[in-house]
Amino acid sequence: MPRTRLYPLEDLEDIPGTKVFTALRSRQGYYLHKFCMSLMKEANREEFKADEKAYLDKFRMTEEQKQAVLDRDLTKLIDLGGNMYFLVKLASTDGMSAQKAVSATSGMSADEYAKMMLEGGRNPAGIRSIRDKN
Amino acid sequence: MARITAGIATSHVPAIGAAIDLGKQKDLYWAPVFQGYEFVKEWIKKNTPDVVILVYNDHASALMMDIIPTFAIGFAEEFLSADEGWGRRPVPVVKNHIELAAHISEQLVIDEFDITLINEMDVDHGLTVPLSLVFGQPEEWPCKVIPVCVNVSQFPTPSGERCWKLGEAIRNAVKTFPEDLDVQVWGTGGMSHQLHGSRAGLINEEFDRKFIDLLAHEPEELKYITRLEYLREAGTEGIELIMWLVMRAALGYGVEEKKRFYRVPASNTAVGHVVYEAKS
């Protein structure tokens, strides 16, 4: 007998404003992530900065993913399978801190977000579950 | 025989590494974080081990892309600091204890942990930030380091219970290594944090403090926190705390808590840190 799950898999989708990085999302983001990881070499960062579109065309990403990279739309990139650990390489290439990259997906300005963190971060009350509204 | 004498847990926030590398430890923002590590920096001088088994997660630097092992062990003679998009951190080369790593690998598989061996990889902030926090900025790291990587990023991730058993298996493996070695196990990552979306910046101080409260002497119930509960309570990246369980289990039944520290924030994250000495 297989061991039973401790919670239904669908519950991973029951967290407000959160895309849990599942195996299927990882597959959706695979070529986007190939691009992100290529930015771990200085020569590649230079090539990307010199002609972003031409560099992106070397990867088997969807056009939508490429456009979101060009737009630096991190929220969109997460919707398209992206994971922050990969995307932060793009932010770093732009000289952007991890905190700024994260705040860019939060719907808050970087300053508002930084202030919230200094004041103890975001309280989990009310944002644990979409279903239970707790 | 080799023995596990102590354990350390600490968050491994990349911005902490940058603050060290750029000499910002005394800045208003960073000083309260680094103050929490003054104890361990003194303590380690008298308690420098021969080997640290350092449990961390790779952040899409060497793993997570083409190959996603649940548990993996670094099996190269040495490891360079990874270029995570802004150049390599200026830290010493990390040197492995390859014979102990081989022995642990062999024993883990006997113990039903089919661990992946990694013959080549760079190590990212998950491994180098804890070394910097504890050892400062030496020319060479003062001990050997065996990297143990746990997948905490891509679901399915291992359960807390499984991580606990891995810690026990590491303990049994070290105890059967014939060389006289002082070994520490470090668990890294956490505490609560979430790095994307409208819940980004989530911090659950109550959850974090309870985790630290229970870890030393009543860790049993921590083993059964589900991955879903970590996500809900501690954010998508709070699940890194399962790596603290590997450390705690590796120390055996009784520990003496020498230090605990908690501070919000460092960048997006709640920083937690403990130092335990093994009693048995």
Side-chain angles (χ1 to χ4, degrees):
Chain A
M1 281 287 287
R3 296 174 73 172
T4 47
R5 294 192 60 82
L6 297 172
Y7 54 86
L9 206 51
E10 301 82 70
D11 276 13
L12 295 180
E13 305 301 321
D14 178 53
I15 303 171
T18 298
K19 301 275 184 205
V20 176
F21 192 54
T22 58
L24 288 173
R25 283 212 177 89
S26 153
R27 196 58 216 164
Q28 186 191 2
Y30 180 72
Y31 293 106
L32 164 65
H33 291 157
K34 277 265 182 202
F35 153 72
C36 291
M37 278 187 100
S38 77
L39 299 176
M40 293 177 70
K41 291 199 170 81
E42 178 63 25
N44 290 343
R45 292 194 286 269
E46 292 308 317
E47 188 185 334
F48 170 63
K49 284 188 222 170
D51 187 341
E52 295 196 358
K53 186 66 173 68
Y55 187 80
L56 288 170
D57 283 338
K58 293 164 71 170
F59 296 86
R60 281 175 59 186
M61 298 156 60
T62 65
E63 289 307 313
E64 209 180 4
Q65 287 171 333
K66 287 180 193 172
Q67 192 57 48
V69 170
L70 292 171
D71 296 341
R72 299 299 193 272
D73 187 341
L74 295 177
T75 299
K76 184 82 181 268
L77 287 169
I78 286 168
D79 283 342
L80 299 174
N83 170 270
M84 191 52 83
Y85 289 150
F86 293 92
L87 299 179
V88 84
K89 273 115 186 142
L90 174 61
S92 297
T93 298
D94 289 336
M96 185 194 247
S97 73
Q99 192 186 65
K100 283 205 169 129
V102 169
S103 73
T105 71
S106 72
M108 302 168 79
S109 75
D111 286 346
E112 282 172 339
Y113 181 87
K115 183 165 175 285
M116 174 184 77
M117 293 315 299
L118 278 172
E119 290 168 355
R122 190 187 302 280
N123 192 310
I127 51 172
R128 291 180 171 92
S129 160
I130 297 167
R131 189 180 53 225
D132 299 333
K133 300 186 176 61
N134 63 343
Chain B
M1 300 295 267
R3 67 216 166 271
I4 294 175
T5 55
I8 294 172
T10 177
S11 307
H12 56 216
V13 183
I16 293 178
I20 293 170
D21 300 342
L22 299 172
K24 291 184 177 173
Q25 289 103 312
K26 297 216 160 55
D27 284 13
L28 203 59
Y29 184 93
W30 287 111
V33 172
F34 289 105
Q35 202 170 24
Y37 290 85
E38 278 172 17
F39 171 84
V40 74
K41 289 177 87 166
E42 275 306 305
W43 175 88
I44 201 71
K45 287 178 189 166
K46 289 192 186 129
N47 296 279
T48 307
D50 298 302
V51 185
V52 170
I53 297 169
L54 201 153
V55 185
Y56 79 109
N57 62 300
D58 173 88
H59 302 76
S61 301
L63 305 173
M64 285 181 68
M65 183 80 239
D66 292 322
I67 299 172
I68 303 143
T70 301
F71 299 117
I73 187 166
F75 209 60
E77 280 74 18
E78 51 187 45
F79 308 93
L80 294 180
S81 155
D83 180 342
E84 298 179 57
W86 64 88
R88 296 177 193 272
R89 284 195 66 213
V91 294
V93 171
V94 173
K95 295 187 176 163
N96 201 349
H97 193 300
I98 204 83
E99 292 81 12
L100 181 57
H103 172 80
I104 290 172
S105 305
E106 186 65 33
Q107 289 299 125
L108 285 181
V109 173
I110 292 170
D111 235 340
E112 299 183 353
F113 278 94
D114 303 323
I115 194 152
T116 301
L117 272 58
I118 306 178
N119 275 317
E120 186 177 345
M121 70 167 171
D122 289 346
V123 289
D124 70 17
H125 66 269
L127 183 133
T128 63
V129 167
L131 289 174
S132 298
L133 277 169
V134 174
F135 293 123
Q137 295 172 289
E139 289 287 308
E140 298 278 338
W141 298 123
C143 62
K144 302 285 180 64
V145 178
I146 300 177
V148 172
C149 302
V150 178
N151 169 35
V152 294
S153 308
Q154 180 177 315
F155 275 63
T157 54
S159 68
E161 197 182 355
R162 188 79 179 136
C163 287
W164 184 273
K165 285 180 181 159
L166 175 66
E168 290 178 332
I170 288 172
R171 175 177 174 78
N172 290 333
V174 169
K175 281 203 297 199
T176 54
F177 188 66
E179 197 180 329
D180 183 29
L181 288 177
D182 182 328
V183 178
Q184 290 180 7
V185 179
W186 295 7
T188 73
M191 298 190 85
S192 56
H193 62 304
Q194 172 151 342
L195 300 181
H196 79 275
S198 61
R199 292 207 328 160
L202 183 136
I203 301 286
N204 191 338
E205 180 164 348
E206 194 184 337
F207 178 93
D208 291 341
R209 288 196 183 274
K210 188 176 175 201
F211 193 96
I212 294 182
D213 280 345
L214 294 174
L215 187 64
H217 306 302
E218 300 170 83
E220 280 299 309
E221 70 178 84
L222 299 179
K223 288 157 54 173
Y224 303 106
I225 300 173
T226 65
R227 289 160 276 192
L228 180 64
E229 194 177 346
Y230 278 112
L231 290 168
R232 289 199 196 282
E233 296 293 333
T236 42
E237 279 71 34
I239 197 171
E240 289 176 352
L241 284 169
I242 60 177
M243 296 183 291
W244 290 35
L245 298 179
V246 180
M247 176 280 283
R248 178 62 192 85
L251 293 187
Y253 182 71
V255 298
E256 186 180 344
E257 184 180 276
K258 307 299 284 187
K259 174 73 184 177
R260 70 163 74 179
F261 174 65
Y262 184 73
R263 161 88 191 172
V264 179
S267 186
N268 303 291
T269 306
V271 173
H273 164 55
V274 297
V275 179
Y276 297 152
E277 289 179 5
K279 277 186 172 171
S280 48

